[in-house]
Amino acid sequence: MAVSRKAALGFILITVLIDVIGFGLIIPVAPAIIKELIHGDNSTASVYGGLLTLAYSAMQFFFAPVLGNLSDKYGRRPVLLFSLFGFGLDYLLLVFAPNIWWLFLGRILAGITGASFSTAAAYVADVSEPEKRAQNFGLIGAAFGLGFIIGPALGGFLGTFGNRIPFVAAACLSLLNWLYGYFVLPESLPAEKRRPFEWKRANPVGSLLHLKKYPAVAGLIISLTLVYIAVHAVQSNWSFYTIQKFSWNEAMIGNSLAFIGLMIALVQGLFIRAVIPKLGQARSMYLGLLMYSTGMLLFAFASATWMMFAFSVVYCLGGIAGPAIQGIISNHVPPNEQGELQGALTSLMSATSIIGPPIMTSLFYFFSKPGAVVYFPGAPFVLGAILFLVSALFSYSSIHREAVAAGTFKNP
């Protein structure tokens, strides 16, 4: 059983790695292609970037619970293959986009079919012992980080040959990943652990409300919501911010993201596996949120290129928070509801991605546009830092209440 668990975990991590490389390929050239299609400046392009993320996330919000529940009924493998094929079609649309609306169409298609990460998380939960789930969720983060080492660096290089070339590479990679999954990836959810599909539990609001029966999950939802909004200060603005403040080109953006990917891989693949067992999931969560907040403030006031690289180390150390929170939540949910859980959490992430990118990119636009009353492109990072600190307070309150009720509370 131990050998089969390790083999299955290896299969899914390779799938996630290839998926992230494809996604990372297009990030360095996204600002350039948006500016090309709207015939606008960097600040205006950032607003469109936020709206494109909103379009993707809105579809994710409605469809991720459906796909999560389908994976609880039919298994993880078919849902994952459906998702990978959808991403391939999305990238092909972006290759031939004649105007900005094609980009929106592609993002909508990807949002409808995009359940690769939530299904991968459910897959990992299937093949992991409860006490090892947090560490194995960290391996997903490590695969994500490794993909971000390769993807953006390669995308920045390919972008020097044309803004559309990285999209061609991403489409090919996603479709090859689909073929890999079809011929190699085994199913992780045995037939006896599956459950009937229920539309009531497959709608985004219903799946989140269903989680209320697990006190720790319900209490951590607010904290997780704030985290998901805060990270968009980096996710939605990194390329636009570094272009605006440091005049980075596609290659430099790709290299910086590759460096961040390396830090994520080290933190999630090595650091987490040593820290979480030693500190425990709760303390690891608090430490991670503090590091996230500190990193955000450092980004906001960075004045040189080297600082962005140095401060990325601090920010990436915050990566221990996510797997710790995910591990706490997952341990409150039975095996036959892990797919529903991950689908619900993806819906939560998507709901905050409907809110987060427009807030963060609009804030960037307001403080960086020509004629801005106060020129401060780092404003979104300051807001992100505040949200992380508030999230830590909500997390502490939630876990403290549950532990006191159970008579097991220990000071973190």
mmCIF file of all heavy atoms in Angstrom, residues 142-179:
data_model
loop_
_atom_site.group_PDB
_atom_site.id
_atom_site.type_symbol
_atom_site.label_atom_id
_atom_site.label_comp_id
_atom_site.label_asym_id
_atom_site.label_seq_id
_atom_site.Cartn_x
_atom_site.Cartn_y
_atom_site.Cartn_z
ATOM 1 N N ALA A 142 5.233 22.449 -3.968
ATOM 2 C CA ALA A 142 6.588 22.305 -4.503
ATOM 3 C C ALA A 142 6.559 22.100 -6.014
ATOM 4 O O ALA A 142 7.372 22.676 -6.743
ATOM 5 C CB ALA A 142 7.295 21.133 -3.831
ATOM 6 N N ALA A 143 5.619 21.272 -6.488
ATOM 7 C CA ALA A 143 5.461 21.073 -7.926
ATOM 8 C C ALA A 143 5.060 22.377 -8.601
ATOM 9 O O ALA A 143 5.537 22.716 -9.698
ATOM 10 C CB ALA A 143 4.415 19.989 -8.202
ATOM 11 N N PHE A 144 4.186 23.117 -7.920
ATOM 12 C CA PHE A 144 3.777 24.431 -8.415
ATOM 13 C C PHE A 144 4.991 25.347 -8.520
ATOM 14 O O PHE A 144 5.193 26.043 -9.525
ATOM 15 C CB PHE A 144 2.741 25.033 -7.462
ATOM 16 C CG PHE A 144 2.046 26.252 -7.989
ATOM 17 C CD1 PHE A 144 0.851 26.145 -8.679
ATOM 18 C CD2 PHE A 144 2.579 27.512 -7.782
ATOM 19 C CE1 PHE A 144 0.200 27.278 -9.158
ATOM 20 C CE2 PHE A 144 1.943 28.653 -8.262
ATOM 21 C CZ PHE A 144 0.755 28.530 -8.950
ATOM 22 N N GLY A 145 5.830 25.338 -7.468
ATOM 23 C CA GLY A 145 7.024 26.182 -7.479
ATOM 24 C C GLY A 145 8.003 25.788 -8.564
ATOM 25 O O GLY A 145 8.566 26.652 -9.250
ATOM 26 N N LEU A 146 8.213 24.481 -8.733
ATOM 27 C CA LEU A 146 9.125 24.009 -9.776
ATOM 28 C C LEU A 146 8.604 24.394 -11.158
ATOM 29 O O LEU A 146 9.368 24.798 -12.042
ATOM 30 C CB LEU A 146 9.302 22.491 -9.669
ATOM 31 C CG LEU A 146 10.292 21.847 -10.644
ATOM 32 C CD1 LEU A 146 11.674 22.461 -10.479
ATOM 33 C CD2 LEU A 146 10.343 20.333 -10.434
ATOM 34 N N GLY A 147 7.281 24.278 -11.347
ATOM 35 C CA GLY A 147 6.685 24.698 -12.610
ATOM 36 C C GLY A 147 6.888 26.173 -12.870
ATOM 37 O O GLY A 147 7.077 26.610 -14.013
ATOM 38 N N PHE A 148 6.898 26.951 -11.765
ATOM 39 C CA PHE A 148 7.118 28.389 -11.908
ATOM 40 C C PHE A 148 8.585 28.750 -12.062
ATOM 41 O O PHE A 148 8.904 29.895 -12.385
ATOM 42 C CB PHE A 148 6.505 29.135 -10.708
ATOM 43 C CG PHE A 148 5.245 29.859 -11.067
ATOM 44 C CD1 PHE A 148 4.079 29.161 -11.301
ATOM 45 C CD2 PHE A 148 5.239 31.231 -11.185
ATOM 46 C CE1 PHE A 148 2.913 29.816 -11.653
ATOM 47 C CE2 PHE A 148 4.081 31.897 -11.524
ATOM 48 C CZ PHE A 148 2.924 31.195 -11.760
ATOM 49 N N ILE A 149 9.475 27.823 -11.804
ATOM 50 C CA ILE A 149 10.881 28.042 -12.140
ATOM 51 C C ILE A 149 11.054 27.908 -13.649
ATOM 52 O O ILE A 149 11.691 28.729 -14.310
ATOM 53 C CB ILE A 149 11.784 27.022 -11.424
ATOM 54 C CG1 ILE A 149 11.707 27.202 -9.909
ATOM 55 C CG2 ILE A 149 13.235 27.161 -11.899
ATOM 56 C CD1 ILE A 149 12.398 26.100 -9.140
ATOM 57 N N ILE A 150 10.453 26.866 -14.196
ATOM 58 C CA ILE A 150 10.633 26.543 -15.612
ATOM 59 C C ILE A 150 9.741 27.401 -16.511
ATOM 60 O O ILE A 150 10.205 27.991 -17.492
ATOM 61 C CB ILE A 150 10.331 25.047 -15.854
ATOM 62 C CG1 ILE A 150 11.255 24.178 -14.998
ATOM 63 C CG2 ILE A 150 10.480 24.699 -17.335
ATOM 64 C CD1 ILE A 150 10.876 22.712 -14.977
ATOM 65 N N GLY A 151 8.434 27.484 -16.169
ATOM 66 C CA GLY A 151 7.463 28.139 -17.036
ATOM 67 C C GLY A 151 7.741 29.598 -17.344
ATOM 68 O O GLY A 151 7.919 29.971 -18.518
ATOM 69 N N PRO A 152 7.799 30.478 -16.324
ATOM 70 C CA PRO A 152 8.028 31.903 -16.616
ATOM 71 C C PRO A 152 9.371 32.184 -17.282
ATOM 72 O O PRO A 152 9.460 33.037 -18.163
ATOM 73 C CB PRO A 152 7.949 32.550 -15.227
ATOM 74 C CG PRO A 152 7.104 31.625 -14.430
ATOM 75 C CD PRO A 152 7.467 30.252 -14.920
ATOM 76 N N ALA A 153 10.428 31.468 -16.843
ATOM 77 C CA ALA A 153 11.739 31.687 -17.467
ATOM 78 C C ALA A 153 11.691 31.318 -18.947
ATOM 79 O O ALA A 153 12.196 32.056 -19.805
ATOM 80 C CB ALA A 153 12.805 30.869 -16.740
ATOM 81 N N LEU A 154 11.063 30.186 -19.249
ATOM 82 C CA LEU A 154 10.924 29.771 -20.641
ATOM 83 C C LEU A 154 10.004 30.710 -21.396
ATOM 84 O O LEU A 154 10.258 31.057 -22.563
ATOM 85 C CB LEU A 154 10.393 28.333 -20.699
ATOM 86 C CG LEU A 154 10.240 27.694 -22.086
ATOM 87 C CD1 LEU A 154 11.581 27.686 -22.821
ATOM 88 C CD2 LEU A 154 9.682 26.281 -21.963
ATOM 89 N N GLY A 155 8.929 31.158 -20.738
ATOM 90 C CA GLY A 155 8.002 32.089 -21.376
ATOM 91 C C GLY A 155 8.652 33.424 -21.689
ATOM 92 O O GLY A 155 8.421 34.009 -22.754
ATOM 93 N N GLY A 156 9.483 33.910 -20.744
ATOM 94 C CA GLY A 156 10.195 35.161 -20.993
ATOM 95 C C GLY A 156 11.149 35.032 -22.159
ATOM 96 O O GLY A 156 11.282 35.943 -22.985
ATOM 97 N N PHE A 157 11.819 33.884 -22.260
ATOM 98 C CA PHE A 157 12.741 33.646 -23.379
ATOM 99 C C PHE A 157 11.977 33.551 -24.701
ATOM 100 O O PHE A 157 12.335 34.196 -25.690
ATOM 101 C CB PHE A 157 13.536 32.369 -23.131
ATOM 102 C CG PHE A 157 14.336 31.908 -24.311
ATOM 103 C CD1 PHE A 157 15.485 32.595 -24.693
ATOM 104 C CD2 PHE A 157 13.937 30.801 -25.056
ATOM 105 C CE1 PHE A 157 16.224 32.169 -25.796
ATOM 106 C CE2 PHE A 157 14.672 30.377 -26.149
ATOM 107 C CZ PHE A 157 15.819 31.068 -26.523
ATOM 108 N N LEU A 158 10.890 32.738 -24.709
ATOM 109 C CA LEU A 158 10.118 32.582 -25.943
ATOM 110 C C LEU A 158 9.454 33.892 -26.354
ATOM 111 O O LEU A 158 9.245 34.141 -27.545
ATOM 112 C CB LEU A 158 9.056 31.488 -25.759
ATOM 113 C CG LEU A 158 9.585 30.056 -25.588
ATOM 114 C CD1 LEU A 158 8.428 29.106 -25.305
ATOM 115 C CD2 LEU A 158 10.348 29.609 -26.830
ATOM 116 N N GLY A 159 9.121 34.739 -25.358
ATOM 117 C CA GLY A 159 8.482 36.014 -25.658
ATOM 118 C C GLY A 159 9.361 36.947 -26.470
ATOM 119 O O GLY A 159 8.847 37.861 -27.133
ATOM 120 N N THR A 160 10.663 36.730 -26.437
ATOM 121 C CA THR A 160 11.557 37.569 -27.240
ATOM 122 C C THR A 160 11.407 37.286 -28.739
ATOM 123 O O THR A 160 11.834 38.084 -29.575
ATOM 124 C CB THR A 160 13.038 37.346 -26.831
ATOM 125 O OG1 THR A 160 13.395 35.975 -27.062
ATOM 126 C CG2 THR A 160 13.236 37.683 -25.363
ATOM 127 N N PHE A 161 10.791 36.152 -29.070
ATOM 128 C CA PHE A 161 10.556 35.794 -30.466
ATOM 129 C C PHE A 161 9.155 36.181 -30.937
ATOM 130 O O PHE A 161 8.815 35.988 -32.101
ATOM 131 C CB PHE A 161 10.757 34.288 -30.670
ATOM 132 C CG PHE A 161 12.145 33.816 -30.360
ATOM 133 C CD1 PHE A 161 12.425 33.224 -29.143
ATOM 134 C CD2 PHE A 161 13.176 33.990 -31.276
ATOM 135 C CE1 PHE A 161 13.712 32.796 -28.847
ATOM 136 C CE2 PHE A 161 14.460 33.564 -30.987
ATOM 137 C CZ PHE A 161 14.732 32.973 -29.761
ATOM 138 N N GLY A 162 8.334 36.716 -30.019
ATOM 139 C CA GLY A 162 6.972 37.100 -30.365
ATOM 140 C C GLY A 162 6.029 36.875 -29.198
ATOM 141 O O GLY A 162 6.182 35.891 -28.466
ATOM 142 N N ASN A 163 5.047 37.765 -29.026
ATOM 143 C CA ASN A 163 4.140 37.679 -27.888
ATOM 144 C C ASN A 163 3.250 36.439 -27.910
ATOM 145 O O ASN A 163 2.754 36.003 -26.861
ATOM 146 C CB ASN A 163 3.249 38.926 -27.834
ATOM 147 C CG ASN A 163 4.034 40.183 -27.527
ATOM 148 O OD1 ASN A 163 5.113 40.121 -26.945
ATOM 149 N ND2 ASN A 163 3.492 41.334 -27.921
ATOM 150 N N ARG A 164 3.027 35.851 -29.089
ATOM 151 C CA ARG A 164 2.126 34.695 -29.193
ATOM 152 C C ARG A 164 2.836 33.349 -29.011
ATOM 153 O O ARG A 164 2.173 32.340 -28.762
ATOM 154 C CB ARG A 164 1.412 34.689 -30.556
ATOM 155 C CG ARG A 164 0.725 35.997 -30.951
ATOM 156 C CD ARG A 164 -0.440 36.339 -30.062
ATOM 157 N NE ARG A 164 -1.052 37.610 -30.410
ATOM 158 C CZ ARG A 164 -2.289 37.746 -30.886
ATOM 159 N NH1 ARG A 164 -3.033 36.675 -31.071
ATOM 160 N NH2 ARG A 164 -2.772 38.941 -31.162
ATOM 161 N N ILE A 165 4.160 33.342 -29.154
ATOM 162 C CA ILE A 165 4.899 32.078 -29.103
ATOM 163 C C ILE A 165 4.703 31.334 -27.777
ATOM 164 O O ILE A 165 4.485 30.108 -27.777
ATOM 165 C CB ILE A 165 6.398 32.307 -29.387
ATOM 166 C CG1 ILE A 165 6.592 32.948 -30.764
ATOM 167 C CG2 ILE A 165 7.171 30.988 -29.293
ATOM 168 C CD1 ILE A 165 6.052 32.116 -31.908
ATOM 169 N N PRO A 166 4.747 32.004 -26.617
ATOM 170 C CA PRO A 166 4.521 31.278 -25.363
ATOM 171 C C PRO A 166 3.141 30.626 -25.284
ATOM 172 O O PRO A 166 2.984 29.573 -24.661
ATOM 173 C CB PRO A 166 4.674 32.362 -24.293
ATOM 174 C CG PRO A 166 5.586 33.376 -24.910
ATOM 175 C CD PRO A 166 5.186 33.394 -26.357
ATOM 176 N N PHE A 167 2.127 31.225 -25.930
ATOM 177 C CA PHE A 167 0.792 30.635 -25.930
ATOM 178 C C PHE A 167 0.770 29.342 -26.742
ATOM 179 O O PHE A 167 0.068 28.393 -26.388
ATOM 180 C CB PHE A 167 -0.233 31.632 -26.482
ATOM 181 C CG PHE A 167 -0.467 32.818 -25.599
ATOM 182 C CD1 PHE A 167 0.218 33.991 -25.782
ATOM 183 C CD2 PHE A 167 -1.388 32.752 -24.561
ATOM 184 C CE1 PHE A 167 0.007 35.092 -24.959
ATOM 185 C CE2 PHE A 167 -1.622 33.837 -23.741
ATOM 186 C CZ PHE A 167 -0.911 35.012 -23.934
ATOM 187 N N VAL A 168 1.525 29.326 -27.843
ATOM 188 C CA VAL A 168 1.639 28.097 -28.639
ATOM 189 C C VAL A 168 2.269 26.992 -27.803
ATOM 190 O O VAL A 168 1.780 25.847 -27.765
ATOM 191 C CB VAL A 168 2.488 28.340 -29.906
ATOM 192 C CG1 VAL A 168 2.695 27.040 -30.675
ATOM 193 C CG2 VAL A 168 1.826 29.383 -30.808
ATOM 194 N N ALA A 169 3.350 27.336 -27.103
ATOM 195 C CA ALA A 169 4.037 26.356 -26.258
ATOM 196 C C ALA A 169 3.121 25.864 -25.139
ATOM 197 O O ALA A 169 3.099 24.666 -24.814
ATOM 198 C CB ALA A 169 5.309 26.971 -25.679
ATOM 199 N N ALA A 170 2.352 26.785 -24.535
ATOM 200 C CA ALA A 170 1.451 26.411 -23.440
ATOM 201 C C ALA A 170 0.353 25.469 -23.929
ATOM 202 O O ALA A 170 -0.017 24.512 -23.239
ATOM 203 C CB ALA A 170 0.831 27.665 -22.820
ATOM 204 N N ALA A 171 -0.181 25.730 -25.131
ATOM 205 C CA ALA A 171 -1.215 24.859 -25.697
ATOM 206 C C ALA A 171 -0.674 23.458 -25.933
ATOM 207 O O ALA A 171 -1.317 22.459 -25.585
ATOM 208 C CB ALA A 171 -1.739 25.459 -27.006
ATOM 209 N N CYS A 172 0.506 23.385 -26.516
ATOM 210 C CA CYS A 172 1.118 22.075 -26.776
ATOM 211 C C CYS A 172 1.368 21.323 -25.469
ATOM 212 O O CYS A 172 1.096 20.118 -25.375
ATOM 213 C CB CYS A 172 2.436 22.250 -27.530
ATOM 214 S SG CYS A 172 2.243 22.893 -29.214
ATOM 215 N N LEU A 173 1.864 22.027 -24.463
ATOM 216 C CA LEU A 173 2.180 21.391 -23.185
ATOM 217 C C LEU A 173 0.922 20.872 -22.496
ATOM 218 O O LEU A 173 0.906 19.759 -21.944
ATOM 219 C CB LEU A 173 2.911 22.388 -22.292
ATOM 220 C CG LEU A 173 3.806 21.814 -21.198
ATOM 221 C CD1 LEU A 173 4.857 20.879 -21.782
ATOM 222 C CD2 LEU A 173 4.480 22.949 -20.430
ATOM 223 N N SER A 174 -0.149 21.664 -22.519
ATOM 224 C CA SER A 174 -1.391 21.248 -21.873
ATOM 225 C C SER A 174 -1.991 20.017 -22.551
ATOM 226 O O SER A 174 -2.469 19.101 -21.878
ATOM 227 C CB SER A 174 -2.412 22.395 -21.897
ATOM 228 O OG SER A 174 -2.008 23.440 -21.053
ATOM 229 N N LEU A 175 -1.946 19.993 -23.872
ATOM 230 C CA LEU A 175 -2.498 18.835 -24.585
ATOM 231 C C LEU A 175 -1.617 17.601 -24.410
ATOM 232 O O LEU A 175 -2.128 16.478 -24.321
ATOM 233 C CB LEU A 175 -2.667 19.179 -26.067
ATOM 234 C CG LEU A 175 -3.728 20.267 -26.338
ATOM 235 C CD1 LEU A 175 -3.757 20.637 -27.815
ATOM 236 C CD2 LEU A 175 -5.122 19.824 -25.874
ATOM 237 N N LEU A 176 -0.307 17.797 -24.301
ATOM 238 C CA LEU A 176 0.582 16.673 -23.993
ATOM 239 C C LEU A 176 0.326 16.159 -22.578
ATOM 240 O O LEU A 176 0.373 14.948 -22.325
ATOM 241 C CB LEU A 176 2.047 17.102 -24.136
ATOM 242 C CG LEU A 176 2.571 17.265 -25.565
ATOM 243 C CD1 LEU A 176 3.979 17.855 -25.561
ATOM 244 C CD2 LEU A 176 2.558 15.915 -26.302
ATOM 245 N N ASN A 177 0.032 17.072 -21.663
ATOM 246 C CA ASN A 177 -0.295 16.679 -20.291
ATOM 247 C C ASN A 177 -1.583 15.868 -20.259
ATOM 248 O O ASN A 177 -1.716 14.892 -19.510
ATOM 249 C CB ASN A 177 -0.435 17.930 -19.420
ATOM 250 C CG ASN A 177 -0.312 17.622 -17.941
ATOM 251 O OD1 ASN A 177 0.095 16.533 -17.538
ATOM 252 N ND2 ASN A 177 -0.662 18.592 -17.117
ATOM 253 N N TRP A 178 -2.528 16.247 -21.100
ATOM 254 C CA TRP A 178 -3.787 15.492 -21.205
ATOM 255 C C TRP A 178 -3.499 14.067 -21.690
ATOM 256 O O TRP A 178 -4.043 13.099 -21.150
ATOM 257 C CB TRP A 178 -4.719 16.217 -22.176
ATOM 258 C CG TRP A 178 -5.965 15.459 -22.502
ATOM 259 C CD1 TRP A 178 -7.038 15.235 -21.684
ATOM 260 C CD2 TRP A 178 -6.264 14.810 -23.750
ATOM 261 N NE1 TRP A 178 -7.995 14.495 -22.339
ATOM 262 C CE2 TRP A 178 -7.545 14.217 -23.609
ATOM 263 C CE3 TRP A 178 -5.595 14.683 -24.954
ATOM 264 C CZ2 TRP A 178 -8.151 13.511 -24.632
ATOM 265 C CZ3 TRP A 178 -6.194 13.983 -25.987
ATOM 266 C CH2 TRP A 178 -7.460 13.400 -25.818
ATOM 267 N N LEU A 179 -2.630 13.942 -22.667
ATOM 268 C CA LEU A 179 -2.261 12.614 -23.161
ATOM 269 C C LEU A 179 -1.538 11.806 -22.091
ATOM 270 O O LEU A 179 -1.777 10.608 -21.928
ATOM 271 C CB LEU A 179 -1.372 12.747 -24.407
ATOM 272 C CG LEU A 179 -2.066 13.222 -25.686
ATOM 273 C CD1 LEU A 179 -1.033 13.463 -26.785
ATOM 274 C CD2 LEU A 179 -3.098 12.205 -26.150
#
